[in-house]
């Protein structure tokens, strides 16, 4: 339907965006990329379009290309937990210093905080972020804080054996 809509109204950024989101949801970021790039080309001020373009680029391990989009989204939409988390993930993946790792951990912590204060917080999502944050804390040589993050993750998702293994 979104492909049909983009043919009928090729200047509708929202149609291109949703076509790209479908690609992401189908775990096909390379298929999502052209549609998301078109959405951003039509509306480069949309933090959501740029966040999702950054997400697709991140999934394709194109970290340098993803980062400016994620930085824009995280700055423009400070209350968007996904933008904060994705930027933290991007930074942690490419970190060259402890300062960058600290920045990534802070962004992930902010994302958890924002999710926890949503009307219906998703405990599995919180746990997944806390697991990644624990890895960043481990790299920073803070095993006590990493264990604390993993303990919180287990409380959110107690049946996840991967969390237990990491702990």
């Amino acid at each position: 339907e979104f492909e049909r809509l983009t043919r009928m109204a090729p200047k509708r950024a929202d149609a291109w965006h949703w076509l790209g989101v479908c690609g992401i949801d189908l775990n096909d970021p390379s298929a999502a990329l052209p549609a998301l790039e078109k959405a951003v080309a039509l509306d480069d001020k949309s933090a959501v379009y740029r966040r999702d373009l950054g997400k697709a680029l991140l999934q394709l391990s194109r970290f340098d290309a993803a980062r400016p989009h994620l930085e824009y989204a995280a700055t423009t939409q400070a209350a968007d937990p996904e933008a904060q988390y994705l930027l933290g993930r991007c930074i942690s993946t490419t970190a060259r210093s402890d300062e960058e790792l600290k920045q990534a951990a802070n962004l992930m912590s902010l994302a958890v905080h924002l999710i926890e204060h949503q009307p219906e917080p998703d405990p599995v999502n919180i746990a997944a972020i806390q697991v990644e944050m624990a890895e960043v804390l481990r790299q920073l040589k803070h095993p006590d804080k990493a264990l604390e993050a993993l303990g919180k993750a287990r409380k959110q998702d107690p049946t996840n054996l991967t969390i237990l293994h990491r702990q």
Side-chain angles (χ1 to χ4, degrees), residues 89-151:
R89 186 168 168 227
C90 184
I91 291 170
S92 72
T93 304
T94 61
R96 292 181 179 89
S97 69
D98 284 354
E99 287 306 312
E100 287 182 307
L101 288 171
K102 288 176 189 173
Q103 181 186 12
N106 289 337
L107 288 164
M108 290 179 187
S109 179
L110 175 59
V112 168
H113 174 77
L114 291 169
I115 294 170
E116 287 174 338
H117 289 87
Q118 290 178 336
E120 294 182 30
D122 179 1
V124 174
N125 196 15
I126 292 170
I129 296 171
Q130 287 171 321
V131 167
E132 287 193 56
M133 188 169 52
E135 177 56 26
V136 172
L137 292 166
R138 187 193 64 73
Q139 290 175 32
L140 285 167
K141 299 183 180 23
H142 294 298
D144 52 332
K145 292 179 181 177
L147 283 171
E148 182 182 334
L150 289 169

Short mmCIF file of all heavy atoms in Angstrom, two decimals, residues 89-151:
data_model
loop_
_atom_site.label_atom_id
_atom_site.label_comp_id
_atom_site.label_asym_id
_atom_site.label_seq_id
_atom_site.Cartn_x
_atom_site.Cartn_y
_atom_site.Cartn_z
N ARG A 89 23.84 3.70 21.22
CA ARG A 89 24.33 2.46 20.60
C ARG A 89 25.36 2.76 19.51
O ARG A 89 26.38 2.10 19.40
CB ARG A 89 23.15 1.69 20.03
CG ARG A 89 23.50 0.35 19.50
CD ARG A 89 22.23 -0.44 19.24
NE ARG A 89 22.60 -1.60 18.47
CZ ARG A 89 21.97 -2.01 17.39
NH1 ARG A 89 20.89 -1.37 16.98
NH2 ARG A 89 22.37 -3.07 16.75
N CYS A 90 25.07 3.76 18.71
CA CYS A 90 25.99 4.16 17.64
C CYS A 90 27.32 4.61 18.23
O CYS A 90 28.39 4.19 17.77
CB CYS A 90 25.36 5.27 16.80
SG CYS A 90 26.34 5.76 15.36
N ILE A 91 27.26 5.43 19.25
CA ILE A 91 28.48 5.93 19.88
C ILE A 91 29.26 4.79 20.53
O ILE A 91 30.48 4.70 20.39
CB ILE A 91 28.14 7.05 20.89
CG1 ILE A 91 27.64 8.28 20.15
CG2 ILE A 91 29.36 7.38 21.76
CD1 ILE A 91 27.06 9.36 21.05
N SER A 92 28.56 3.90 21.23
CA SER A 92 29.27 2.81 21.92
C SER A 92 29.95 1.87 20.93
O SER A 92 31.01 1.32 21.22
CB SER A 92 28.31 2.02 22.83
OG SER A 92 27.42 1.23 22.08
N THR A 93 29.36 1.71 19.76
CA THR A 93 29.93 0.81 18.75
C THR A 93 31.21 1.37 18.16
O THR A 93 32.11 0.61 17.81
CB THR A 93 28.90 0.57 17.63
OG1 THR A 93 27.71 0.05 18.22
CG2 THR A 93 29.40 -0.44 16.62
N THR A 94 31.31 2.69 18.08
CA THR A 94 32.47 3.32 17.44
C THR A 94 33.37 4.04 18.43
O THR A 94 34.31 4.72 18.02
CB THR A 94 32.01 4.32 16.37
OG1 THR A 94 31.22 5.34 17.00
CG2 THR A 94 31.22 3.64 15.27
N ALA A 95 33.10 3.91 19.73
CA ALA A 95 33.83 4.68 20.75
C ALA A 95 35.33 4.45 20.68
O ALA A 95 35.79 3.31 20.55
CB ALA A 95 33.30 4.33 22.13
N ARG A 96 36.04 5.55 20.77
CA ARG A 96 37.50 5.49 20.78
C ARG A 96 38.07 5.98 22.12
O ARG A 96 39.28 6.04 22.29
CB ARG A 96 38.06 6.34 19.64
CG ARG A 96 37.75 5.75 18.28
CD ARG A 96 38.35 6.62 17.16
NE ARG A 96 38.07 6.04 15.86
CZ ARG A 96 37.01 6.29 15.14
NH1 ARG A 96 36.07 7.09 15.61
NH2 ARG A 96 36.84 5.74 13.95
N SER A 97 37.19 6.35 23.03
CA SER A 97 37.65 6.85 24.32
C SER A 97 36.63 6.52 25.40
O SER A 97 35.47 6.22 25.12
CB SER A 97 37.85 8.37 24.25
OG SER A 97 36.59 9.02 24.14
N ASP A 98 37.09 6.62 26.65
CA ASP A 98 36.19 6.42 27.78
C ASP A 98 35.11 7.50 27.81
O ASP A 98 33.99 7.24 28.22
CB ASP A 98 36.96 6.42 29.10
CG ASP A 98 37.72 5.12 29.33
OD1 ASP A 98 37.55 4.17 28.52
OD2 ASP A 98 38.45 5.05 30.33
N GLU A 99 35.45 8.71 27.36
CA GLU A 99 34.47 9.79 27.34
C GLU A 99 33.29 9.44 26.43
O GLU A 99 32.14 9.71 26.76
CB GLU A 99 35.10 11.12 26.93
CG GLU A 99 35.99 11.72 28.00
CD GLU A 99 35.28 11.88 29.35
OE1 GLU A 99 34.15 12.41 29.38
OE2 GLU A 99 35.85 11.47 30.37
N GLU A 100 33.61 8.88 25.28
CA GLU A 100 32.53 8.47 24.36
C GLU A 100 31.71 7.34 24.96
O GLU A 100 30.48 7.32 24.83
CB GLU A 100 33.11 8.07 23.01
CG GLU A 100 33.59 9.24 22.19
CD GLU A 100 34.12 8.82 20.83
OE1 GLU A 100 35.00 7.93 20.78
OE2 GLU A 100 33.65 9.38 19.83
N LEU A 101 32.37 6.39 25.62
CA LEU A 101 31.64 5.31 26.27
C LEU A 101 30.74 5.85 27.38
O LEU A 101 29.60 5.40 27.53
CB LEU A 101 32.60 4.26 26.83
CG LEU A 101 33.29 3.37 25.80
CD1 LEU A 101 34.37 2.52 26.46
CD2 LEU A 101 32.28 2.49 25.07
N LYS A 102 31.21 6.82 28.13
CA LYS A 102 30.39 7.44 29.18
C LYS A 102 29.18 8.13 28.56
O LYS A 102 28.07 8.05 29.09
CB LYS A 102 31.21 8.44 29.99
CG LYS A 102 32.22 7.80 30.91
CD LYS A 102 33.07 8.85 31.61
CE LYS A 102 34.22 8.20 32.36
NZ LYS A 102 35.16 9.18 32.91
N GLN A 103 29.41 8.82 27.45
CA GLN A 103 28.30 9.49 26.75
C GLN A 103 27.27 8.45 26.31
O GLN A 103 26.06 8.66 26.46
CB GLN A 103 28.83 10.27 25.56
CG GLN A 103 27.75 11.01 24.81
CD GLN A 103 28.25 11.68 23.53
OE1 GLN A 103 29.36 11.43 23.06
NE2 GLN A 103 27.42 12.53 22.95
N ALA A 104 27.74 7.33 25.78
CA ALA A 104 26.82 6.27 25.33
C ALA A 104 26.03 5.71 26.51
O ALA A 104 24.80 5.53 26.41
CB ALA A 104 27.61 5.16 24.64
N ALA A 105 26.70 5.46 27.63
CA ALA A 105 26.01 4.94 28.82
C ALA A 105 24.97 5.93 29.31
O ALA A 105 23.85 5.54 29.69
CB ALA A 105 27.02 4.61 29.92
N ASN A 106 25.31 7.22 29.30
CA ASN A 106 24.35 8.25 29.74
C ASN A 106 23.13 8.31 28.83
O ASN A 106 22.00 8.47 29.29
CB ASN A 106 25.03 9.62 29.81
CG ASN A 106 26.00 9.72 30.96
OD1 ASN A 106 25.89 8.99 31.95
ND2 ASN A 106 26.96 10.62 30.85
N LEU A 107 23.34 8.19 27.52
CA LEU A 107 22.22 8.21 26.58
C LEU A 107 21.33 6.99 26.78
O LEU A 107 20.10 7.09 26.74
CB LEU A 107 22.74 8.27 25.14
CG LEU A 107 23.33 9.62 24.73
CD1 LEU A 107 24.16 9.48 23.46
CD2 LEU A 107 22.23 10.65 24.55
N MET A 108 21.93 5.83 27.01
CA MET A 108 21.14 4.62 27.24
C MET A 108 20.37 4.72 28.56
O MET A 108 19.21 4.32 28.64
CB MET A 108 22.04 3.38 27.23
CG MET A 108 22.58 3.06 25.86
SD MET A 108 23.66 1.62 25.92
CE MET A 108 24.30 1.62 24.25
N SER A 109 21.01 5.27 29.56
CA SER A 109 20.33 5.48 30.85
C SER A 109 19.15 6.44 30.68
O SER A 109 18.06 6.21 31.24
CB SER A 109 21.33 6.03 31.86
OG SER A 109 20.70 6.26 33.10
N LEU A 110 19.34 7.49 29.92
CA LEU A 110 18.25 8.43 29.64
C LEU A 110 17.12 7.72 28.91
O LEU A 110 15.94 7.94 29.22
CB LEU A 110 18.77 9.62 28.82
CG LEU A 110 17.72 10.63 28.35
CD1 LEU A 110 16.96 11.23 29.52
CD2 LEU A 110 18.38 11.72 27.51
N ALA A 111 17.45 6.88 27.94
CA ALA A 111 16.41 6.14 27.20
C ALA A 111 15.59 5.27 28.14
O ALA A 111 14.36 5.26 28.06
CB ALA A 111 17.05 5.29 26.10
N VAL A 112 16.26 4.57 29.05
CA VAL A 112 15.54 3.74 30.03
C VAL A 112 14.63 4.61 30.88
O VAL A 112 13.45 4.28 31.09
CB VAL A 112 16.53 2.94 30.92
CG1 VAL A 112 15.83 2.33 32.11
CG2 VAL A 112 17.23 1.87 30.10
N HIS A 113 15.15 5.73 31.36
CA HIS A 113 14.36 6.65 32.18
C HIS A 113 13.11 7.12 31.42
O HIS A 113 12.01 7.15 31.98
CB HIS A 113 15.22 7.84 32.60
CG HIS A 113 14.47 8.91 33.32
ND1 HIS A 113 14.09 8.79 34.64
CD2 HIS A 113 13.99 10.11 32.88
CE1 HIS A 113 13.42 9.88 34.99
NE2 HIS A 113 13.34 10.70 33.94
N LEU A 114 13.30 7.48 30.16
CA LEU A 114 12.16 7.97 29.36
C LEU A 114 11.12 6.87 29.14
O LEU A 114 9.92 7.13 29.20
CB LEU A 114 12.66 8.51 28.02
CG LEU A 114 13.47 9.81 28.09
CD1 LEU A 114 14.14 10.09 26.76
CD2 LEU A 114 12.60 10.97 28.53
N ILE A 115 11.58 5.65 28.90
CA ILE A 115 10.64 4.54 28.70
C ILE A 115 9.90 4.24 29.99
O ILE A 115 8.69 4.00 29.98
CB ILE A 115 11.37 3.28 28.18
CG1 ILE A 115 11.92 3.52 26.78
CG2 ILE A 115 10.42 2.07 28.16
CD1 ILE A 115 12.86 2.43 26.30
N GLU A 116 10.61 4.24 31.11
CA GLU A 116 9.98 3.95 32.41
C GLU A 116 8.88 4.94 32.74
O GLU A 116 7.95 4.60 33.48
CB GLU A 116 11.03 3.96 33.52
CG GLU A 116 11.94 2.76 33.50
CD GLU A 116 13.07 2.84 34.51
OE1 GLU A 116 13.43 3.96 34.96
OE2 GLU A 116 13.61 1.78 34.85
N HIS A 117 8.95 6.13 32.20
CA HIS A 117 7.95 7.16 32.50
C HIS A 117 6.88 7.30 31.41
O HIS A 117 6.12 8.26 31.42
CB HIS A 117 8.64 8.49 32.78
CG HIS A 117 9.37 8.47 34.09
ND1 HIS A 117 10.66 8.02 34.21
CD2 HIS A 117 8.95 8.78 35.33
CE1 HIS A 117 11.02 8.08 35.47
NE2 HIS A 117 10.01 8.54 36.18
N GLN A 118 6.82 6.33 30.52
CA GLN A 118 5.74 6.29 29.54
C GLN A 118 4.51 5.68 30.19
O GLN A 118 4.62 4.94 31.18
CB GLN A 118 6.14 5.47 28.31
CG GLN A 118 7.21 6.13 27.47
CD GLN A 118 7.64 5.27 26.28
OE1 GLN A 118 7.50 4.05 26.29
NE2 GLN A 118 8.17 5.92 25.26
N PRO A 119 3.32 5.96 29.64
CA PRO A 119 2.09 5.40 30.22
C PRO A 119 2.12 3.87 30.32
O PRO A 119 1.64 3.30 31.29
CB PRO A 119 0.99 5.87 29.27
CG PRO A 119 1.57 7.07 28.58
CD PRO A 119 3.05 6.86 28.52
N GLU A 120 2.68 3.21 29.31
CA GLU A 120 2.77 1.75 29.33
C GLU A 120 4.19 1.33 28.96
O GLU A 120 4.48 0.96 27.83
CB GLU A 120 1.77 1.14 28.35
CG GLU A 120 0.32 1.38 28.76
CD GLU A 120 -0.66 0.73 27.80
OE1 GLU A 120 -0.33 -0.32 27.21
OE2 GLU A 120 -1.76 1.28 27.66
N PRO A 121 5.11 1.38 29.94
CA PRO A 121 6.51 1.05 29.63
C PRO A 121 6.67 -0.42 29.23
O PRO A 121 5.98 -1.29 29.75
CB PRO A 121 7.25 1.35 30.93
CG PRO A 121 6.21 1.44 31.99
CD PRO A 121 4.91 1.73 31.32
N ASP A 122 7.56 -0.65 28.28
CA ASP A 122 7.82 -2.00 27.77
C ASP A 122 9.01 -2.60 28.52
O ASP A 122 10.15 -2.21 28.27
CB ASP A 122 8.11 -1.92 26.27
CG ASP A 122 8.42 -3.27 25.65
OD1 ASP A 122 8.39 -4.30 26.36
OD2 ASP A 122 8.69 -3.32 24.44
N PRO A 123 8.76 -3.55 29.44
CA PRO A 123 9.86 -4.09 30.24
C PRO A 123 10.92 -4.82 29.42
O PRO A 123 12.10 -4.77 29.77
CB PRO A 123 9.16 -5.03 31.22
CG PRO A 123 7.81 -5.28 30.68
CD PRO A 123 7.47 -4.13 29.79
N VAL A 124 10.54 -5.47 28.34
CA VAL A 124 11.51 -6.19 27.52
C VAL A 124 12.45 -5.20 26.83
O VAL A 124 13.66 -5.42 26.76
CB VAL A 124 10.81 -7.11 26.50
CG1 VAL A 124 11.81 -7.74 25.54
CG2 VAL A 124 10.01 -8.19 27.23
N ASN A 125 11.91 -4.09 26.38
CA ASN A 125 12.72 -3.05 25.75
C ASN A 125 13.67 -2.44 26.78
O ASN A 125 14.85 -2.22 26.49
CB ASN A 125 11.81 -1.98 25.14
CG ASN A 125 12.52 -1.09 24.16
OD1 ASN A 125 13.62 -1.37 23.70
ND2 ASN A 125 11.90 0.02 23.85
N ILE A 126 13.17 -2.17 27.97
CA ILE A 126 14.02 -1.62 29.04
C ILE A 126 15.16 -2.59 29.33
O ILE A 126 16.33 -2.19 29.43
CB ILE A 126 13.19 -1.35 30.31
CG1 ILE A 126 12.20 -0.21 30.07
CG2 ILE A 126 14.10 -1.06 31.50
CD1 ILE A 126 11.18 -0.02 31.18
N ALA A 127 14.84 -3.87 29.44
CA ALA A 127 15.86 -4.88 29.76
C ALA A 127 16.93 -4.95 28.66
O ALA A 127 18.12 -5.03 28.96
CB ALA A 127 15.20 -6.25 29.94
N ALA A 128 16.51 -4.89 27.41
CA ALA A 128 17.47 -4.96 26.30
C ALA A 128 18.44 -3.79 26.33
O ALA A 128 19.65 -3.96 26.12
CB ALA A 128 16.73 -5.00 24.96
N ILE A 129 17.94 -2.61 26.62
CA ILE A 129 18.81 -1.43 26.71
C ILE A 129 19.75 -1.56 27.89
O ILE A 129 20.94 -1.25 27.80
CB ILE A 129 17.98 -0.14 26.78
CG1 ILE A 129 17.18 0.06 25.49
CG2 ILE A 129 18.88 1.07 27.05
CD1 ILE A 129 16.16 1.18 25.55
N GLN A 130 19.23 -2.05 29.02
CA GLN A 130 20.08 -2.20 30.20
C GLN A 130 21.20 -3.22 29.97
O GLN A 130 22.31 -3.04 30.48
CB GLN A 130 19.24 -2.59 31.42
CG GLN A 130 18.42 -1.41 31.92
CD GLN A 130 17.42 -1.78 32.98
OE1 GLN A 130 16.79 -2.83 32.91
NE2 GLN A 130 17.26 -0.92 33.96
N VAL A 131 20.93 -4.25 29.18
CA VAL A 131 21.97 -5.22 28.86
C VAL A 131 23.08 -4.55 28.05
O VAL A 131 24.26 -4.75 28.30
CB VAL A 131 21.38 -6.44 28.11
CG1 VAL A 131 22.46 -7.31 27.50
CG2 VAL A 131 20.51 -7.26 29.06
N GLU A 132 22.69 -3.76 27.06
CA GLU A 132 23.70 -3.04 26.27
C GLU A 132 24.45 -2.03 27.12
O GLU A 132 25.67 -1.87 26.98
CB GLU A 132 23.06 -2.36 25.06
CG GLU A 132 22.66 -3.35 23.99
CD GLU A 132 22.33 -2.67 22.68
OE1 GLU A 132 23.19 -1.93 22.17
OE2 GLU A 132 21.21 -2.88 22.20
N MET A 133 23.74 -1.37 28.02
CA MET A 133 24.38 -0.41 28.91
C MET A 133 25.37 -1.13 29.83
O MET A 133 26.47 -0.61 30.09
CB MET A 133 23.33 0.33 29.74
CG MET A 133 23.89 1.47 30.55
SD MET A 133 22.63 2.54 31.28
CE MET A 133 21.57 1.39 32.12
N ALA A 134 25.03 -2.32 30.27
CA ALA A 134 25.94 -3.10 31.12
C ALA A 134 27.24 -3.41 30.38
O ALA A 134 28.33 -3.36 30.97
CB ALA A 134 25.27 -4.39 31.57
N GLU A 135 27.15 -3.71 29.09
CA GLU A 135 28.35 -3.97 28.30
C GLU A 135 29.23 -2.72 28.21
O GLU A 135 30.45 -2.80 28.33
CB GLU A 135 27.99 -4.47 26.90
CG GLU A 135 29.17 -4.70 25.99
CD GLU A 135 30.22 -5.65 26.53
OE1 GLU A 135 29.90 -6.53 27.36
OE2 GLU A 135 31.39 -5.51 26.13
N VAL A 136 28.61 -1.57 28.03
CA VAL A 136 29.37 -0.31 27.99
C VAL A 136 30.05 -0.08 29.34
O VAL A 136 31.23 0.28 29.41
CB VAL A 136 28.46 0.87 27.59
CG1 VAL A 136 29.19 2.20 27.74
CG2 VAL A 136 27.94 0.70 26.18
N LEU A 137 29.31 -0.31 30.42
CA LEU A 137 29.87 -0.13 31.76
C LEU A 137 31.02 -1.12 32.01
O LEU A 137 32.01 -0.78 32.66
CB LEU A 137 28.78 -0.28 32.81
CG LEU A 137 27.73 0.84 32.80
CD1 LEU A 137 26.52 0.46 33.63
CD2 LEU A 137 28.34 2.15 33.29
N ARG A 138 30.90 -2.32 31.50
CA ARG A 138 31.97 -3.31 31.62
C ARG A 138 33.22 -2.81 30.90
O ARG A 138 34.33 -2.90 31.41
CB ARG A 138 31.53 -4.66 31.07
CG ARG A 138 32.55 -5.78 31.32
CD ARG A 138 32.25 -7.02 30.51
NE ARG A 138 32.37 -6.82 29.08
CZ ARG A 138 33.53 -6.67 28.42
NH1 ARG A 138 34.67 -6.71 29.04
NH2 ARG A 138 33.54 -6.49 27.11
N GLN A 139 33.03 -2.25 29.70
CA GLN A 139 34.16 -1.70 28.95
C GLN A 139 34.82 -0.54 29.69
O GLN A 139 36.03 -0.32 29.56
CB GLN A 139 33.72 -1.24 27.56
CG GLN A 139 33.36 -2.37 26.63
CD GLN A 139 32.82 -1.86 25.31
OE1 GLN A 139 33.20 -0.81 24.83
NE2 GLN A 139 31.91 -2.62 24.71
N LEU A 140 34.02 0.19 30.45
CA LEU A 140 34.54 1.30 31.26
C LEU A 140 35.19 0.81 32.55
O LEU A 140 35.62 1.62 33.37
CB LEU A 140 33.43 2.29 31.58
CG LEU A 140 32.99 3.19 30.44
CD1 LEU A 140 31.68 3.90 30.77
CD2 LEU A 140 34.08 4.21 30.13
N LYS A 141 35.21 -0.51 32.74
CA LYS A 141 35.78 -1.14 33.93
C LYS A 141 35.01 -0.76 35.20
O LYS A 141 35.60 -0.46 36.24
CB LYS A 141 37.27 -0.82 34.04
CG LYS A 141 38.05 -1.36 32.85
CD LYS A 141 39.51 -1.13 32.96
CE LYS A 141 40.33 -1.64 31.81
NZ LYS A 141 39.77 -1.84 30.53
N HIS A 142 33.69 -0.81 35.08
CA HIS A 142 32.78 -0.60 36.21
C HIS A 142 31.91 -1.86 36.38
O HIS A 142 30.71 -1.82 36.12
CB HIS A 142 31.90 0.62 35.98
CG HIS A 142 32.61 1.91 35.95
ND1 HIS A 142 33.31 2.40 37.03
CD2 HIS A 142 32.75 2.83 34.97
CE1 HIS A 142 33.85 3.57 36.71
NE2 HIS A 142 33.52 3.84 35.46
N PRO A 143 32.53 -2.98 36.80
CA PRO A 143 31.75 -4.22 36.90
C PRO A 143 30.59 -4.14 37.88
O PRO A 143 29.55 -4.74 37.66
CB PRO A 143 32.78 -5.26 37.33
CG PRO A 143 33.90 -4.49 37.93
CD PRO A 143 33.90 -3.15 37.25
N ASP A 144 30.75 -3.35 38.96
CA ASP A 144 29.67 -3.21 39.92
C ASP A 144 28.44 -2.55 39.30
O ASP A 144 27.31 -3.00 39.48
CB ASP A 144 30.15 -2.43 41.14
CG ASP A 144 30.81 -1.11 40.78
OD1 ASP A 144 31.38 -0.99 39.67
OD2 ASP A 144 30.76 -0.17 41.61
N LYS A 145 28.67 -1.50 38.50
CA LYS A 145 27.57 -0.82 37.83
C LYS A 145 26.98 -1.70 36.71
O LYS A 145 25.77 -1.68 36.48
CB LYS A 145 28.02 0.52 37.26
CG LYS A 145 28.35 1.54 38.33
CD LYS A 145 28.80 2.85 37.74
CE LYS A 145 29.16 3.86 38.83
NZ LYS A 145 29.66 5.11 38.26
N ALA A 146 27.84 -2.47 36.05
CA ALA A 146 27.37 -3.38 35.01
C ALA A 146 26.47 -4.44 35.62
O ALA A 146 25.39 -4.76 35.08
CB ALA A 146 28.54 -4.02 34.28
N LEU A 147 26.88 -5.00 36.76
CA LEU A 147 26.05 -6.00 37.45
C LEU A 147 24.73 -5.40 37.92
O LEU A 147 23.69 -6.05 37.85
CB LEU A 147 26.81 -6.60 38.63
CG LEU A 147 27.86 -7.63 38.27
CD1 LEU A 147 28.70 -7.99 39.49
CD2 LEU A 147 27.20 -8.88 37.68
N GLU A 148 24.77 -4.16 38.36
CA GLU A 148 23.55 -3.48 38.78
C GLU A 148 22.58 -3.33 37.60
O GLU A 148 21.38 -3.59 37.73
CB GLU A 148 23.89 -2.11 39.36
CG GLU A 148 22.70 -1.34 39.86
CD GLU A 148 23.08 0.04 40.39
OE1 GLU A 148 24.24 0.23 40.83
OE2 GLU A 148 22.20 0.93 40.36
N ALA A 149 23.12 -2.94 36.44
CA ALA A 149 22.28 -2.80 35.24
C ALA A 149 21.70 -4.15 34.84
O ALA A 149 20.52 -4.25 34.47
CB ALA A 149 23.08 -2.20 34.10
N LEU A 150 22.52 -5.21 34.93
CA LEU A 150 22.01 -6.54 34.58
C LEU A 150 20.96 -7.02 35.58
O LEU A 150 19.99 -7.68 35.20
CB LEU A 150 23.17 -7.54 34.49
CG LEU A 150 24.09 -7.34 33.29
CD1 LEU A 150 25.35 -8.20 33.43
CD2 LEU A 150 23.36 -7.67 31.99
N GLY A 151 21.14 -6.68 36.85
CA GLY A 151 20.13 -7.02 37.87
C GLY A 151 18.80 -6.34 37.57
O GLY A 151 17.73 -6.96 37.67
#
